[in-house]
Amino acid sequence: MAKRLFLHVGMPKCATTSIQAYLASQAEALARRGFHYTFAPGERIPDQGNATHLANALITGDTARAWPLLDHFLRSDGNVILSSEYLFGVSRGAIAQELVARIRQAGFDVGVICYFRRQDLWIESDYKQHVKSGADWRRGIVALLDERVEKQVLNYNAMLLNWARIVGHDNVLAVPLRPEQGPDHAVRRFLEALDLADMLPDGSASPKHHNVSPPTGLIEPARYLKRAMLDRGLSMPLVQQEVDRFFEVAPRLVRVPQRRFLLTHIRRQRLLQNCENSNAALARNFLGGVPAFDMVPDFDELSEIPLGAEAAGILAAYHVDGQNGLRRRSHLLRGLDLLKRSVAGRRIKS
């Protein structure tokens, strides 16, 4: 029987980190069952999959780095799991065909596992990641949405068809993620694809959430803060430090807006209408005709408040309350200093 190599290709913001964390934590148990989730020596990155460097090398065309990395994984005497959300973009290039050809030459059958979320929910998670991470992103969510639409990122059917042409339709597993699914659903479906469902039996402890986003109401103020610092030429590490501090401190200083979404209801409706045909094709081609999602977005009155005005108010309150807090802290420190001096003086006199 041929060995199998599973390419877990993301998508980004689709439980990828949770799946990777589970695979890493259960690597020994997986190996005992004949599935190897390993890292090349010196190539492990915190909270990243084992194929991160391989995927980056493939995307950038650095085959001098990519193929030795791949060879490391192909030395396994059992099945192999390679996971990176960056593999999501590899299917568009001819490099994916050579990748699969090399895997097959080493004696493996190839399967692709891809998770995805409804497009309006996914783009909001994608935008939050751009703001909170070390990415040099300064524009608003509509600009990111337009860029993703232009590059066909939200056409899940087209992306999966690219993989299907390379590995075969029956070797592509498409997993839609929906809000009502349990917290362990993504990991459970992954193990089912490997015929290892018993490793996470019903009623067992659910995997922990990873890479949790800050409150939606703080995202746009953080983006304004990030943009202002980058425009002034501050280094990215310093900017990241201040953004992290904002997400940590702001909830204690300001009333965080309770909006659920960054996009208005009408814009989310239009986005889903534009994705209607590709999602219908996705259902026909990869889901046995079952629709992937409920295509009616929720309405949230608080999410209709303009982002700009709301963000400006939050930043103003953060600045004023933050300065007041510094003053109060300064007064407190001066008071403590005086008290210490007073006590020390009494000790000397006595």
Side-chain angles (χ1 to χ4, degrees):
M1 179 180 292
K3 298 179 290 186
R4 299 209 68 189
L5 187 144
F6 294 87
L7 293 172
H8 173 218
V9 302
M11 294 177 56
K13 305 307 298 178
C14 290
T16 309
T17 307
S18 296
I19 293 170
Q20 291 166 348
Y22 179 86
L23 294 174
S25 69
Q26 299 297 316
E28 292 184 4
L30 287 165
R32 289 194 293 269
R33 303 287 292 272
F35 290 84
H36 299 281
Y37 182 79
T38 62
F39 290 81
E43 299 290 345
R44 187 161 188 163
I45 303 175
D47 299 325
Q48 294 286 335
N50 65 339
T52 298
H53 289 293
L54 172 62
N56 285 333
L58 292 171
I59 291 172
T60 59
D62 187 1
T63 54
R65 177 165 169 73
W67 301 140
L69 281 172
L70 179 64
D71 289 341
H72 166 80
F73 296 114
L74 297 181
R75 296 190 193 108
S76 171
D77 59 359
N79 302 307
V80 171
I81 304 167
L82 295 181
S83 177
S84 173
E85 61 187 30
Y86 301 114
L87 287 169
F88 173 77
V90 170
S91 69
R92 301 175 186 171
I95 196 71
Q97 297 181 0
E98 186 172 356
L99 169 67
V100 172
R102 285 173 175 266
I103 295 172
R104 285 173 172 164
Q105 287 170 5
F108 291 86
D109 290 336
V110 186
V112 170
I113 304 175
C114 182
Y115 291 72
F116 44 88
R117 299 169 63 194
R118 199 175 70 186
Q119 286 85 350
D120 62 319
L121 301 177
W122 184 84
I123 194 65
E124 298 221 348
S125 293
D126 187 33
Y127 182 67
K128 291 176 181 178
Q129 185 67 22
H130 274 67
V131 172
K132 75 173 187 174
S133 72
D136 187 350
W137 181 263
R138 312 183 194 193
R139 295 178 291 164
I141 188 171
V142 175
L144 182 63
L145 173 59
D146 291 342
E147 181 178 297
R148 295 309 198 196
V149 169
E150 180 183 355
K151 294 183 178 180
Q152 291 281 297
V153 174
L154 301 182
N155 188 338
Y156 305 152
N157 178 67
M159 185 273 295
L160 289 175
L161 283 176
N162 287 338
W163 279 115
R165 294 186 189 101
I166 300 170
V167 304
H169 188 278
D170 292 340
N171 293 317
V172 175
L173 175 64
V175 183
L177 297 178
R178 295 184 288 269
E180 69 272 13
Q181 292 165 340
D184 63 354
H185 176 79
V187 172
R188 189 177 301 280
R189 287 291 288 118
F190 197 95
L191 293 173
E192 288 173 354
L194 275 53
D195 292 326
L196 298 176
D198 60 298
M199 287 188 64
L200 192 65
D202 291 335
S204 62
S206 298
K208 296 180 180 179
H209 288 286
H210 293 81
N211 202 17
V212 178
S213 293
T216 300
L218 292 181
I219 295 297
E220 197 67 359
R223 199 263 300 182
Y224 281 7
L225 183 66
K226 184 176 188 177
R227 184 183 68 182
M229 290 187 291
L230 289 173
D231 287 348
R232 292 185 63 182
L234 275 67
S235 68
M236 182 57 75
L238 180 58
V239 171
Q240 185 66 56
Q241 179 180 331
E242 289 302 313
V243 170
D244 290 343
R245 180 178 180 276
F246 172 77
F247 285 132
E248 178 185 357
V249 174
R252 302 199 298 266
L253 296 179
V254 304
R255 180 175 295 178
V256 179
Q258 296 302 301
R259 66 186 308 133
R260 291 173 56 196
F261 307 106
L262 294 162
L263 293 170
T264 63
H265 186 252
I266 187 65
R267 192 175 289 278
R268 285 181 285 121
Q269 280 184 318
R270 289 172 180 170
L271 171 59
L272 293 181
Q273 288 170 358
N274 292 336
C275 295
E276 187 173 357
N277 290 336
S278 64
N279 282 352
L282 174 72
R284 290 195 305 270
N285 293 328
F286 295 99
L287 299 172
V290 179
F293 313 110
D294 173 5
M295 295 294 285
V296 181
D298 292 344
F299 178 81
D300 175 53
E301 185 174 355
L302 293 177
S303 300
E304 301 302 297
I305 298 172
L307 280 173
E310 186 177 80
I314 292 297
L315 286 175
Y318 176 72
H319 175 74
V320 171
D321 290 347
Q323 292 301 312
N324 288 338
L326 289 175
R327 293 191 192 99
R328 288 192 295 269
R329 176 175 171 79
S330 177
H331 292 322
L332 177 60
L333 290 176
R334 284 198 295 271
L336 289 173
D337 187 51
L338 289 173
L339 178 61
K340 289 178 183 177
R341 291 180 184 178
S342 175
V343 171
R346 286 197 297 270
R347 286 176 178 171
I348 292 174
K349 290 179 181 179
S350 62

